[in-house]
Amino acid sequence: MTAIYLRSMIDFRSDTVTLPTPAMLAFMQEAPIGDDVFGEDPSINALEAKTAGLFGMEAGLFCPSGTMTNQLAIKTHTQAGDEVICEELSHIYQYEGGGIASNSGCSVKLLQGNRGRITAGQVLAAINPEDVHKPISKLVSLENTCNRGGGACYNFSEIEAIQKVAKSNGLGLHLDGARIFNAIVHKKEDPQQYGKVFDSISICLSKGLGAPVGSVLIGAAPFIKKARRWRKVFGGGMRQAGSLAAAGIYALDNHIDRLKEDHTKALEIKNALLKKDFVKEIFEVETNIVIAHIEGKYNAPELVKALKEKNILAIAMAPALIRFVLHLDITDDMLANTIATIDKL
Ligand SMILES: *Cc1c(COP(=O)(O)O)cnc(C)c1O
């Protein structure tokens, strides 16, 4: 098994690229398993209850991906012809293959936010009046941290204000919390705050938490019961998947506090980049994502190529934007090596 730990590249492309640690693998191998479609996988049941409990919500649903947990949430909150309100850069709109339309038959009202974050005032203005011409506004979906916003976090007071607007207008509130623990650690928040204001939360285990696969959707018990039915319809009813759930349990127990280290390392990458003439601007680094505006000696794809020649992988998100994502497989040595390489560019 050790061979899989021998990495030849320093991989900043995404926090999805982590491999299970030896301790996580050992925990996975010991996990009790059973047929989850019959509700008999002890590890999946434990993960679902644990995740829901952390946030003070009633029930959870383990899924193979964050796309599935988000899409199931949208499907369960809406009916065909309804409208979903979200920010224009949000993952549910940009990166889920048009699933809002094809899975749920819903239209989308896109808002232009600040690095992925929208305000209560924008949400209020986006809610359609009762009018036969208009789709029925049914759901508001927020993302925290905001991926395309460079890991930006909401201020919790704004989330509370959005919740008031959603609730008083009869709309549901969903959180795409792919990186919610990065936000919670950065802002020193309590997951229970989130459970109180959202009707549903999607949490990725396979991002910064370092599990190989999986996301959990949490919410009230009747909501999750409906979502469980849709998961089967979507083909997401897994059987003896408890070893994967065990990786999630291990990650929740061991990999939350350490996210701080990723945030500190992200700042070090930012500081190294800021010394370079070809770096015009860097989004404020709050969590584990660094997005830099590149111009001059390199454009973003050229910089990605130059780094790759030094065994460092990053992503060009646009001709002038490069992204580095920190995660638990980036060691101190890898960081030092990367900073030394950037210094010489
Ligand atoms: C990664 C991610 C997801 C889920 O992606 P999957 O690859 O389907 O697990 C959802 N939302 C955001 C913001 C993400 O970054």
Side-chain angles (χ1 to χ4, degrees):
M1 287 309 283
T2 51
I4 64 169
Y5 296 104
L6 296 176
R7 284 185 170 280
S8 55
M9 303 294 266
I10 304 175
D11 196 344
F12 294 99
R13 288 172 303 167
S14 172
D15 45 7
T16 55
V17 300
T18 55
L19 299 174
T21 62
M24 180 184 276
L25 265 184
F27 191 79
M28 292 168 72
Q29 277 166 349
E30 284 160 19
I33 57 174
D35 191 321
D36 180 52
V37 176
F38 292 126
E40 292 171 4
D41 188 303
S43 298
I44 293 179
N45 292 341
L47 171 69
E48 291 175 346
K50 182 183 180 71
T51 313
L54 255 176
F55 286 80
M57 294 182 105
E58 287 175 355
L61 183 66
F62 181 54
C63 290
S65 71
T67 297
M68 188 178 278
T69 41
N70 280 332
Q71 291 298 320
L72 286 177
I74 294 163
K75 181 80 184 163
T76 307
H77 280 295
T78 62
Q79 293 191 317
D82 289 344
E83 190 157 82
V84 177
I85 298 171
C86 64
E87 211 272 345
E88 64 182 1
L89 300 176
S90 57
H91 195 281
I92 60 164
Y93 176 71
Q94 293 279 352
Y95 300 117
E96 299 187 6
I100 299 174
S102 62
N103 295 321
S104 299
C106 289
S107 60
V108 181
K109 183 152 307 173
L110 293 179
L111 303 180
Q112 202 169 38
N114 168 14
R115 294 180 56 202
R117 295 161 300 195
I118 54 179
T119 65
Q122 285 181 294
V123 172
L124 183 61
I127 295 173
N128 288 330
E130 178 74 39
D131 176 342
V132 288
H133 298 88
K134 301 279 190 181
I136 299 170
S137 305
K138 190 55 91 50
L139 179 67
V140 180
S141 182
L142 307 183
E143 196 171 298
N144 201 22
T145 68
C146 306
N147 179 359
R148 282 293 304 244
C153 302
Y154 273 91
N155 286 326
F156 200 77
S157 56
E158 195 62 49
I159 294 178
E160 288 176 316
I162 292 171
Q163 191 259 350
K164 284 206 184 75
V165 168
K167 191 167 180 200
S168 58
N169 288 279
L171 277 72
L173 185 61
H174 173 69
L175 174 64
D176 178 354
R179 297 186 180 82
I180 187 59
F181 286 108
N182 293 89
I184 286 171
V185 165
H186 174 66
K187 294 278 196 185
K188 300 189 170 55
E189 293 165 338
D190 181 342
Q192 302 271 326
Q193 295 169 236
Y194 285 85
K196 287 197 183 83
V197 295
F198 285 97
D199 297 304
S200 56
I201 306 179
S202 159
I203 298 155
C204 285
L205 304 164
S206 60
K207 298 278 167 76
L209 292 182
V213 172
S215 290
V216 184
L217 178 65
I218 56 175
F223 177 87
I224 293 297
K225 188 173 173 204
K226 267 171 112 182
R228 190 176 295 279
R229 179 179 173 76
W230 284 122
R231 183 186 67 171
K232 192 75 182 74
V233 176
F234 281 26
M238 295 180 286
R239 301 290 178 173
Q240 285 79 349
S243 317
L244 295 172
I249 292 172
Y250 184 89
L252 290 172
D253 283 339
N254 296 282
H255 291 168
I256 293 177
D257 282 346
R258 64 152 305 286
L259 291 170
K260 305 197 237 324
E261 295 170 31
D262 298 342
H263 302 174
T264 309
K265 287 190 172 93
L267 284 171
E268 291 185 48
I269 296 276
K270 173 190 171 179
N271 291 337
L273 287 169
L274 275 177
K275 291 185 204 147
K276 310 308 288 188
D277 285 347
F278 55 82
V279 173
K280 293 297 155 216
E281 194 192 344
I282 303 190
F283 287 174
E284 184 192 346
V285 173
E286 294 184 59
T287 55
N288 67 328
I289 301 177
V290 184
I291 297 181
H293 184 145
I294 306 298
E295 208 180 285
K297 185 175 173 191
Y298 302 97
N299 62 27
E302 287 163 355
L303 183 56
V304 165
K305 194 157 164 266
L307 287 166
K308 194 170 179 185
E309 281 161 14
K310 306 289 181 194
N311 292 330
I312 296 166
L313 301 178
I315 279 188
M317 301 180 80
L321 291 180
I322 189 166
R323 185 183 81 167
F324 297 79
V325 186
L326 279 293
H327 52 75
L328 94 168
D329 283 4
I330 299 291
T331 63
D332 293 347
D333 283 352
M334 289 177 183
L335 181 71
N337 177 328
T338 303
I339 289 171
T341 301
I342 292 171
D343 282 345
K344 284 189 217 115
L345 284 171

